[in-house]
Amino acid sequence: MTQPRHFLEIDDLSRDELFAVLDRAETYKDAQENGEDHEDLEGQTLGMIFQKPSTRTRVSFETGMTQLGGHAVFLGEDDIQLGHGEPLKDTSRTLSRYVDAVMARVFKHDNIEVLAEYASVPIVNGLTDDAHPCQTLADLLTIREHNGGFEDVSVAWVGDGNNVAQSFAIGAALAGIDLTVATPAGYEVDDAVSERARELGGEPATTADPVEAVDGADVIYTDVWISMGQEDERDVRMDDFEGFQVNEELLSNAPDASVMHCLPAHRGEEVTDAVVESDRSIVFDQAENRLHAQKALLSWLLE
């Protein structure tokens, strides 16, 4: 039996494959805006495993499958045996007999790898503690739309070197984007991630100075300082990230930059309300593009 293609990390796609998926996403977006049907996955079912709650991931995948003519099944922790006694490999092999693909949003990255090892259908990483490649697809689609491509585009990441930052660093390298990452000491992206980006020809520059990072940037990207599961670190993190807020003062150092955030935003912490609501914010274009990028990914994996 042919082994399925999985999407656990953004660099599971080659550069040519990444651009092909982004092209397909644009096609789907145009079709939707023109009221055209595109039921390329008619009769197919996506199983959606959620250990972590979500708004954008659940709604975009479920809506996307519907628009493609398929169906999505929500599987929360209380709905299946995941983490309640049944080995992950058994869950993976069983679901493979029922559905055409599985999207899983879990805590440990090891768990998504086990699901993929034992699955006979494509496994899509909807988020782990280490990576968020579906978000990166939407990010790259958004940057390409607003900048006419990736050539000579520079992005500044300001904040925590978390799972979103790590996937974006690798995706930026794949796409040929010039990336600078500004984090407090101790919150950098993993060395292994920087090495993977370097091997792709685009290791990000790093700094502890947000002003230095955003100087000349076309896009400024941030995310929450306190992710799910880190609530007990709140006081320490709020102190450590002082000076890293994306606000109007910081934006004055990059007068032409757009602002991105993967959402949900903790307004008043990593970004101000005024910035999110400003004309420079493209966060809701970015959120919408989760739908189009994931439709493109699913149809590419399942065709």
Side-chain angles (χ1 to χ4, degrees):
M1 182 173 63
T2 303
Q3 291 298 308
R5 285 291 304 266
H6 301 303
F7 184 68
L8 309 187
E9 304 266 10
I10 188 65
D11 52 345
D12 285 340
L13 300 175
S14 68
R15 179 170 286 133
D16 287 345
E17 289 169 340
L18 171 65
F19 289 168
V21 170
L22 295 178
D23 289 344
R24 186 174 299 201
E26 287 187 354
T27 299
Y28 281 140
K29 187 171 185 176
D30 290 342
Q32 181 175 317
E33 290 175 351
N34 293 328
E36 301 169 3
D37 292 333
H38 41 271
E39 297 186 350
D40 295 343
L41 297 183
E42 185 175 3
Q44 299 200 54
T45 300
L46 173 70
M48 304 190 304
I49 296 174
F50 282 88
Q51 282 187 324
K52 288 186 173 185
S54 169
T55 300
R56 280 148 290 275
T57 298
R58 177 177 179 179
V59 176
S60 57
F61 269 108
E62 191 163 339
T63 301
M65 280 300 291
T66 300
Q67 291 180 354
L68 290 170
H71 178 65
V73 179
F74 176 82
L75 303 167
E77 276 199 295
D78 295 332
D79 301 314
I80 59 175
Q81 294 297 315
L82 188 71
H84 298 288
E86 181 175 68
L88 276 171
K89 60 184 180 181
D90 290 359
T91 298
S92 182
R93 288 183 289 203
T94 300
L95 286 177
S96 293
R97 304 293 182 101
Y98 298 146
V99 302
D100 299 284
V102 173
M103 184 281 297
R105 183 178 172 92
V106 298
F107 285 94
K108 296 180 180 178
H109 195 79
D110 289 350
N111 287 350
I112 200 86
E113 292 178 335
V114 171
L115 287 170
E117 180 180 357
Y118 289 93
S120 55
V121 299
I123 301 294
V124 174
N125 179 2
L127 177 141
T128 67
D129 286 344
D130 292 347
H132 198 353
C134 289
Q135 181 64 55
T136 299
L137 283 179
D139 298 340
L140 295 176
L141 180 60
T142 307
I143 290 169
R144 192 165 78 163
E145 284 178 345
H146 282 270
N147 293 275
F150 298 125
E151 188 175 357
D152 298 325
V153 173
S154 62
V155 178
W157 176 277
V158 177
D160 188 14
N162 60 13
N163 50 0
V164 177
Q166 295 193 152
S167 286
F168 184 77
I170 297 168
L174 266 176
I177 292 171
D178 180 29
L179 175 64
T180 300
V181 176
T183 66
Y187 294 93
E188 300 89 352
V189 299
D190 289 347
D191 290 342
V193 169
S194 295
E195 175 61 20
R196 283 161 62 193
R198 186 191 67 77
E199 291 173 355
L200 292 167
E203 182 178 3
T206 59
T207 180
D209 183 356
V211 174
E212 177 186 347
V214 305
D215 183 30
D218 299 297
V219 179
I220 298 170
Y221 194 174
T222 191
D223 190 14
V224 296
W225 297 337
I226 303 149
S227 299
M228 282 179 283
Q230 298 174 337
E231 290 79 8
D232 59 345
E233 303 174 23
R234 179 177 180 80
D235 291 343
V236 172
R237 283 176 169 265
M238 289 298 291
D239 287 342
D240 290 346
F241 282 94
E242 185 176 357
F244 281 79
Q245 184 184 73
V246 176
N247 52 33
E248 291 171 308
E249 181 180 355
L250 184 65
L251 292 188
S252 68
N253 297 282
D256 298 321
S258 301
V259 177
M260 292 173 52
H261 192 304
C262 63
L263 301 180
H266 294 170
R267 300 187 187 208
E269 293 184 8
E270 76 280 356
V271 65
T272 62
D273 183 81
V275 167
V276 174
E277 297 295 340
S278 73
D279 292 341
R280 298 173 66 175
S281 169
I282 56 175
V283 301
F284 296 107
D285 292 342
Q286 189 183 355
E288 178 191 342
N289 282 337
R290 289 288 303 275
L291 171 65
H292 309 300
Q294 287 159 188
K295 285 163 64 176
L297 174 69
L298 289 169
S299 68
W300 184 80
L301 289 170
L302 289 169
E303 68 180 4

